[in-house]
Amino acid sequence: MAEADGATAAPRPDPDPDDVTWIESPVCQECGTSIRVYPTNYDRWVSLAMVELPAKDVPEAFRWRLTRLPTRSATPADIVAVRVRGIDPLPSEPVVPAHSMMCVPEWGEP
């Protein structure tokens, strides 16, 4: 299921609590652009694009949403990526595309 969804990213390392340096977004090894890496609702990790797009512009296999996990606190504790399935979103509804849809590998410089 994870391979079919494209949820094959490596988990992000836990930051050192004593390290106060800025944490940069991870970068795709293929194309060099920034990506967002989130856990899925089934304990895998997925690389997502940095932008949201209307559902009409994203093929069904690449549609994701970011959802807050329910907590008793008013402060959200964690966010997970959930594949958009079952009920199709409205064409103008924003979804987060999987990075694999937008990845254009660099072919090297001459």
Side-chain angles (χ1 to χ4, degrees):
M1 183 169 148
E3 267 189 50
D5 287 346
T8 57
R12 292 192 66 179
D14 289 332
D16 181 6
D18 296 330
D19 188 5
V20 294
T21 59
W22 182 258
I23 298 175
E24 296 290 331
S25 297
V27 175
C28 175
Q29 298 296 320
E30 299 291 322
C31 67
T33 60
S34 295
I35 56 176
R36 296 189 281 182
V37 178
Y38 280 98
T40 65
N41 56 332
Y42 49 88
D43 295 327
R44 296 289 188 257
W45 292 76
V46 64
S47 298
L48 300 177
M50 297 294 284
V51 297
E52 289 185 343
L53 296 174
K56 67 179 180 177
D57 296 338
V58 180
E60 188 176 327
F62 298 101
R63 295 177 185 162
W64 291 83
R65 282 202 180 98
L66 297 177
T67 305
R68 297 181 199 282
L69 289 176
T71 62
R72 295 180 184 199
S73 169
T75 306
D78 218 350
I79 296 177
V80 295
V82 178
R83 278 267 291 119
V84 177
R85 293 189 180 169
I87 299 173
D88 286 335
L90 296 173
S92 61
E93 193 173 342
V95 294
V96 181
H99 174 71
S100 59
M101 180 192 108
M102 303 179 81
C103 186
V104 179
E106 294 179 357
W107 296 105
E109 297 183 24

